[in-house]
Every structure is written in structure tokens, then in C-alpha cells.
């Protein structure tokens, strides 16, 4: 029988499932440190992208991890709304599998996330739901306004300022006038970029890189489209944990609140709500806004 060493004990007849955590971070090292401590486990490999404009100290990050294997991918600057995020996700995915290691599950999380369960509970959950894909979908079908993000060409990134909003609108108007249609009958879907998927689907997603780069480069917020579009057009769609497509983030096991913020930053008074949510991960948190909730969840996870 297979054996593995966990907590200094040899456990027979227990398969060591391996998970890969792909982390996208750009600030708040203290928060990232808490996240890393919570997922530091010999059953996990961790792949990290630190934004090139960030001053986070990589050597300090390495010193936090005692059990997990960690690898840093080449750093780029991610501009909101642009294709940089997709490039970053592919850097992380490719790094994971170029290592030659096999993973039962691959989790994409941000440096502003925290797990709500310890690693034994998380691994047990995925063992019990082996083969299921945890991907969020915003609705059964994207709205026309959402489809315009990928139907027309959009070249500006960082569209949170007034000028770029004007550029985006102008690009949409020109796309309509010239009858541009980059979709051409393809089934497009949209949802949250954060996921927990099988190693098999992660490798399939890598195999679809040429399609993704051709279809979603120069589109608006492409990271909300490419994973959902690839999976819904594949046989992996049959393995989705939730097929409701009702904008419930429990589909990807994340507790995210878009009603109180964009998304809402959790605070100390939300602790019971978070821990009773039934989700495995939550976002987002801020050491600056409320460090107590971060310390409390970290303590619960490490000591639970």
C-alpha cells in the first residue's frame, strides 16, 4: 500500500494527494505571510507571482514556508482589465506542470485571500469530490454588454480612470459601426477568475493556450472569460460541481461578497459569518483595514 509521512507519523493505505496553489500577489506582505502559513503543507506546492511594481521581499516569503515546495514565476506588471492577468495565470499554470509533478487539484487564489479550513479538511474535501471542477459562472448566459467585452477589440488597460472609460466606450462604438465580431458563433461564458480545478483540466487549459491568446487578447477583463469559455466547450463541463450558473461563488468554494463592496473587505465582525459559510476560501482581506480578522482566521486554521 502507498504510504506517506504526515505530522511525523507514517499513515498506511492513505494516498498522498498533491495540490498546487497558484498565488497572484502585489502588496501586503503580512497578509500574504498569513496565507502562506495556512497552506504550508508537504502535500502542497506553491507557485507565486509577485507584481513587478511590488516591493515585496521574495527572500522573506521563502523563509515563511517550512513544508511546501515554492517557486516564483517571472514578474510582470498586471494592469487592471488587460490581458496581463491571463498571461500571469498561464505563467503559473505552466510552471506547475513544467516541474514534472502531478497534481490532483490546482487552486488559483490571490494574495488577499485566506483559507477557512485547515489543510487536512481541504484535502479531505477534494478527496471526497475527486474529479469535480469548481468554477464560478455569473449567469446561464452572458449579457450583451458583457459579450461586447470580447466581441470588439479593446486595447487600453487600467480602465478605472475617466480617460480609459472613454476609450472603452469609443472602442465599443467603433466595433458596432464596423460590424466587428470576434465571437463568430462561439459559446462564450463568464465568471470569477478564481478556481479550484483538477490537474487534468489544468493541463487541458494549458493545451488551449493558443486559442485563449487568439480569442481573448485585446479584450476587456479577459480573465473573467477564458476559463469558463474553455471548460464549457469541453467534456470537462460534465464534471462541474455546480451547473446552476447562478452567480453563487460557492461553486468555486470561495466566500466573496459583491453586495457590500467590489468585492467587500471582510472585518472582525464577519468572523462567524465566514467560518459558518461552508466555503473553503474567502476573499478579500486587508491588514490595513482590519488585521484582527486576519489573525483570528489564521489562528483558527493553524490550530483547528
Amino acid at each position: 500500500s502507498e504510504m506517506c509521512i504526515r505530522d511525523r507519523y507514517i499513515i498506511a493505505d492513505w494516498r498522498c494527494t498533491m495540490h498546487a496553489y497558484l498565488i497572484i500577489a502585489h502588496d501586503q506582505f503580512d497578509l500574504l505571510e498569513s496565507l502562506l502559513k495556512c497552506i504550508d503543507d508537504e502535500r502542497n506546492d506553491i507557485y507565486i507571482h509577485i507584481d513587478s511594481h511590488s516591493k515585496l521581499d521574495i527572500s522573506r516569503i521563502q523563509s515563511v514556508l517550512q513544508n511546501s515546495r515554492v517557486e516564483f514565476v517571472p514578474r510582470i506588471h498586471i494592469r487592471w482589465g488587460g490581458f496581463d492577468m491571463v498571461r500571469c495565470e498561464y505563467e503559473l499554470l505552466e510552471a506547475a506542470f513544467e516541474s514534472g509533478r502531478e497534481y490532483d487539484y490546482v487552486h488559483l487564489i490571490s494574495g488577499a485571500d485566506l483559507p477557512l479550513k485547515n489543510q487536512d479538511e481541504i484535502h479531505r474535501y477534494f478527496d471526497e469530490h475527486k474529479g469535480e471542477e469548481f468554477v464560478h459562472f455569473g449567469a446561464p448566459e452572458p449579457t450583451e454588454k458583457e459579450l461586447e467585452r470580447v466581441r470588439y477589440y479593446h486595447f487600453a488597460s487600467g480602465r478605472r480612470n475617466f480617460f480609459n472609460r472613454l476609450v472603452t466606450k469609443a472602442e465599443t462604438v467603433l466595433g458596432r459601426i464596423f460590424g466587428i465580431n470576434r465571437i463568430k458563433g462561439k459559446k462564450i461564458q463568464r465568471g470569477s477568475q478564481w478556481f479550484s480545478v483538477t490537474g487534468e483540466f489544468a493541463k487541458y487549459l494549458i493545451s488551449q493556450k493558443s486559442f485563449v491568446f487568439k480569442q481573448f487578447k485585446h479584450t476587456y477583463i479577459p480573465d473573467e472569460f477564458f476559463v469558463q469559455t474553455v471548460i464549457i466547450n469541453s467534456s470537462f463541463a460534465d464534471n462541474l460541481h455546480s451547473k446552476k450558473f447562478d452567480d453563487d461563488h460557492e461553486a468555486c468554494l470561495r466566500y466573496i461578497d459583491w453586495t457590500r463592496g467590489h468585492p467587500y473587505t471582510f472585518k472582525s465582525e464577519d468572523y462567524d459569518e465566514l467560518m459558518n459559510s461552508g466555503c473553503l476560501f474567502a476573499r478579500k482581506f486587508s491588514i490595513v483595514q482590519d488585521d484582527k480578522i486576519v489573525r483570528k482566521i489564521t489562528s483558527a486554521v493553524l490550530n483547528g
Side-chain angles (χ1 to χ4, degrees):
S1 61
E2 293 190 57
M3 303 168 64
C4 92
I5 298 176
R6 183 179 58 171
D7 297 332
R8 298 183 181 178
Y9 293 93
I10 296 179
I11 303 174
D13 299 319
W14 185 84
R15 181 172 178 271
C16 288
T17 57
M18 288 298 297
H19 290 199
Y21 280 87
L22 317 180
I23 301 177
I24 301 173
H26 69 280
D27 62 3
Q28 297 194 82
F29 176 80
D30 290 339
L31 176 55
L32 178 60
E33 181 177 14
S34 294
L35 166 61
L36 293 174
K37 286 179 178 178
C38 288
I39 63 174
D40 185 19
D41 189 286
E42 61 189 7
R43 296 164 290 180
N44 299 332
D45 288 344
I46 301 173
Y47 299 87
I48 304 176
H49 175 268
I50 304 296
D51 193 279
S52 63
H53 285 197
S54 170
K55 296 181 180 179
L56 291 180
D57 185 348
I58 290 179
S59 62
R60 186 179 167 191
I61 293 172
Q62 290 174 309
S63 68
V64 172
L65 297 167
Q66 303 298 317
N67 302 299
S68 296
R69 174 179 168 273
V70 62
E71 182 177 332
F72 296 88
V73 302
R75 300 171 64 173
I76 61 173
H77 176 48
I78 298 175
R79 293 165 294 178
W80 186 86
F83 197 71
D84 307 305
M85 184 65 80
V86 178
R87 293 184 191 277
C88 175
E89 291 185 36
Y90 267 98
E91 286 280 358
L92 290 163
L93 284 164
E94 290 173 336
F97 288 96
E98 284 173 359
S99 69
R101 298 163 77 87
E102 292 294 327
Y103 298 106
D104 295 86
Y105 273 91
V106 177
H107 312 281
L108 179 70
I109 59 178
S110 86
D113 296 0
L114 287 174
L116 301 176
K117 306 288 184 183
N118 64 46
Q119 284 303 302
D120 282 343
E121 293 175 294
I122 289 175
H123 276 261
R124 187 180 307 118
Y125 182 90
F126 286 104
D127 286 345
E128 292 171 352
H129 294 269
K130 185 175 176 61
E132 296 181 22
E133 311 292 350
F134 297 87
V135 178
H136 166 270
F137 288 79
E141 298 290 341
T143 66
E144 181 58 29
K145 187 174 182 179
E146 289 170 340
L147 287 175
E148 286 181 341
R149 298 185 193 175
V150 295
R151 177 177 288 123
Y152 307 130
Y153 287 95
H154 295 284
F155 295 96
S157 297
R159 293 177 174 81
R160 285 182 171 174
N161 59 54
F162 179 72
F163 173 77
N164 280 327
R165 288 195 186 98
L166 288 180
V167 172
T168 299
K169 289 182 179 179
E171 290 169 332
T172 299
V173 170
L174 290 172
R176 290 173 184 162
I177 291 173
F178 289 102
I180 295 171
N181 185 4
R182 301 180 66 188
I183 297 174
K184 296 179 182 177
K186 297 184 183 73
K187 185 172 181 60
I188 303 293
Q189 271 290 2
R190 178 195 159 271
S192 172
Q193 75 181 96
W194 314 109
F195 56 71
S196 292
V197 298
T198 62
E200 289 80 4
F201 176 69
K203 286 188 283 188
Y204 178 74
L205 192 57
I206 293 171
S207 76
Q208 297 301 300
K209 181 178 179 179
S210 294
F211 161 74
V212 169
F213 275 52
K214 180 179 180 181
Q215 183 68 53
F216 294 104
K217 191 175 182 182
H218 303 312
T219 59
Y220 183 32
I221 319 181
D223 50 290
E224 292 185 354
F225 288 91
F226 81 98
V227 174
Q228 285 76 8
T229 297
V230 169
I231 199 168
I232 205 64
N233 287 287
S234 75
S235 61
F236 289 95
D238 297 333
N239 303 330
L240 285 166
H241 175 72
S242 174
K243 300 181 177 68
K244 295 179 182 179
F245 296 7
D246 57 356
D247 200 25
D248 186 348
H249 283 82
E250 191 174 347
C252 63
L253 305 175
R254 271 73 171 166
Y255 197 65
I256 306 174
D257 185 352
W258 285 94
T259 61
R260 291 180 286 177
H262 300 283
Y264 172 68
T265 300
F266 291 108
K267 299 176 175 61
S268 298
E269 57 265 29
D270 304 311
Y271 177 80
D272 289 338
E273 175 187 343
L274 286 162
M275 303 309 284
N276 295 325
S277 68
C279 292
L280 301 187
F281 308 97
R283 75 177 312 266
K284 65 179 182 175
F285 298 91
S286 170
I287 290 285
V288 176
Q289 293 189 35
D290 193 325
D291 63 334
K292 292 180 181 179
I293 183 66
V294 175
R295 293 201 307 269
K296 196 169 183 179
I297 290 176
T298 301
S299 177
V301 168
L302 294 177
N303 300 313

